[in-house]
Amino acid sequence: MNTVLRIAIQKSGRLQQGSLDLLKESGLSFSNGKDQLKAPAQNFPAEVLFLRDDDIPQYVEDRVADAGIVGENIVAEKKKKINVIKRLDFARCRLSLAIPRGEQYNGLEWFNGKNIATSYPNIVTDFLKERGISAGIHEISGSVEIAPGIGLAEAVCDLVSSGSTLLSNGLREVEVVMQSEAVLVANPNLSPEKSEILDKLLFRITAVMKAKNSKYILLNCPNEAIERITRIIPGMKSPTVMPLSREGWSSLHSVVDENDFWNRIDQLRESGAEGILVIPIEKMIV
Ligand code: PRT
Ligand code: ZN
């Protein structure tokens, strides 16, 4: 039988769409029906397994899956023997300590002798221990934010993204314990055949992510501005320059980093660029 790489992703929840999009944009086509446990990729030697996110590290350690997409928070909490291969730049959040809004807070000592409700007992215990704080950890699996309100604990440690859940439960974020995003993980002892497939997938994921962070840019400029503009948007090797039918003018094509985009645009306009078009890039192989 041909070797396939088994990739575990979350069945449903906050990681699901990002994981499906990333694999599909990387060229894997597979069905993801509601009650499916797994699906073979039609055009890539892989099989996608749909699991609960909490189970993914264990399955990858046990080689039920060879690789997986899961939040760094889960990887840190579960402490399994798996490798983090790549950060995937979605499902960003932070794990934070929060206390009732009315409480005076003047540093971590506040937590000494207090009870903290969390779904991340290992991470919180290590965090507090390293800082010499001794608190009680109360593990609960969901709706952590209601714990202080019902008298179950005096504080919480939970995932935060916009902060509105804490706010609407009368809590205030006081310490960030860790930042998290979705990551690609893999078993450290893959066979050479599986490692080769994983490398191929990683190459594609990198191309998709690079493209997301870049824009294709076209502009017109007077010929004397070409050198100046090339310094602003050097592109992958150097920009493409083509003459316009209008004497003394050229069209210049390049690639620009999304994060730096608006700064560059301002510089380009100051340098004489006109008719600037910015176009998304689908894949980018450098
Ligand atoms: O069923 P399964 O076990 O697979 O899913 P789950 O319910 O355990 O996980 P899910 O889908 O809620 O989250 C999966 C992963 O998404 C997490 O492990 C994180 O890596 C990531 N992630 C990103 C988040 C959030 N952002 C997030 N905001 N996970 C949870 N939240 C929750 C948080 O627990 C709190 O209840 O959203 C609320 C806070 O959000 P804000 O915007 O109000 O601050
Ligand atoms: Zn979960």
Side-chain angles (χ1 to χ4, degrees):
M1 212 184 90
N2 287 338
T3 309
V4 296
L5 188 78
R6 279 165 307 190
I7 309 160
I9 65 171
Q10 192 188 24
K11 188 172 172 57
S12 69
R14 285 186 168 83
L15 294 167
Q16 186 210 26
Q17 198 56 49
S19 306
L20 288 173
D21 289 350
L22 187 64
L23 293 181
K24 296 205 164 176
E25 284 164 23
S26 299
L28 275 66
S29 95
F30 55 91
S31 65
N32 51 296
K34 253 200 165 132
D35 301 314
Q36 254 174 324
L37 259 175
K38 57 183 186 177
Q42 273 116 46
N43 51 356
F44 190 81
E47 185 171 55
V48 182
L49 310 185
F50 304 100
L51 300 170
R52 282 199 59 200
D53 66 344
D54 315 67
D55 297 334
I56 292 176
Q58 180 76 61
Y59 280 130
V60 172
E61 183 183 275
D62 294 345
R63 298 212 220 184
V64 175
D66 304 302
I69 296 177
V70 67
E72 270 176 305
N73 49 305
I74 298 287
V75 176
E77 177 62 25
K78 300 292 178 187
K79 298 184 165 181
K80 300 295 172 192
K81 289 189 203 71
I82 55 176
N83 291 343
V84 172
I85 309 288
K86 190 170 178 63
R87 314 182 126 226
L88 299 175
D89 198 19
F90 70 91
R92 281 183 186 280
C93 57
R94 53 196 188 273
L95 183 66
S96 290
L97 286 160
I99 65 173
R101 215 178 309 154
E103 288 282 333
Q104 274 270 357
Y105 185 74
N106 34 27
L108 264 182
E109 291 73 37
W110 187 92
F111 290 95
N112 261 323
K114 299 280 190 345
N115 276 313
I116 306 170
T118 186
S119 307
Y120 297 88
N122 288 328
I123 300 176
V124 183
T125 301
D126 291 351
F127 179 85
L128 294 177
K129 206 166 151 198
E130 276 166 28
R131 289 159 182 80
I133 306 291
S134 141
I137 306 292
H138 204 107
E139 183 178 356
I140 49 178
S141 59
S143 304
V144 170
E145 65 281 357
I146 65 167
I150 59 172
L152 195 65
E154 287 130 316
V156 303
C157 188
D158 198 11
L159 297 174
V160 183
S161 45
S162 68
S164 67
T165 301
L166 291 182
L167 195 70
S168 61
N169 284 281
L171 298 171
R172 174 161 71 103
E173 185 178 3
V174 290
E175 303 281 346
V176 175
V177 173
M178 78 174 282
Q179 300 282 349
S180 177
E181 66 189 277
V183 290
L184 178 67
V185 296
N187 184 284
N189 302 307
L190 293 181
S191 67
E193 293 82 7
K194 292 204 179 203
S195 289
E196 202 176 303
I197 304 171
L198 181 64
D199 284 348
K200 239 181 221 164
L201 177 66
L202 190 60
F203 176 81
R204 292 184 184 197
I205 288 177
T206 305
V208 170
M209 288 179 64
K210 257 198 150 24
K212 277 217 172 80
N213 290 322
S214 305
K215 294 276 182 261
Y216 191 72
I217 183 164
L218 302 90
L219 57 85
N220 296 329
C221 65
N223 288 343
E224 72 265 13
I226 291 175
E227 229 183 276
R228 226 168 31 240
I229 290 180
T230 300
R231 279 198 296 273
I232 302 169
I233 46 171
M236 293 212 268
K237 244 192 198 82
S238 67
T240 307
V241 179
M242 286 180 285
L244 290 186
S245 57
R246 185 166 150 198
E247 187 71 24
W249 280 72
S250 292
S251 164
L252 193 144
H253 302 193
S254 190
V255 170
V256 61
D257 190 323
E258 169 92 86
N259 299 318
D260 203 22
F261 175 72
W262 288 109
N263 281 334
R264 299 284 164 184
I265 296 291
D266 291 340
Q267 291 174 28
L268 290 173
R269 290 177 60 219
E270 282 159 21
S271 301
E274 290 179 10
I276 303 173
L277 296 182
V278 179
I279 298 171
I281 299 172
E282 197 172 309
K283 309 278 189 302
M284 194 163 149
I285 321 290
V286 290

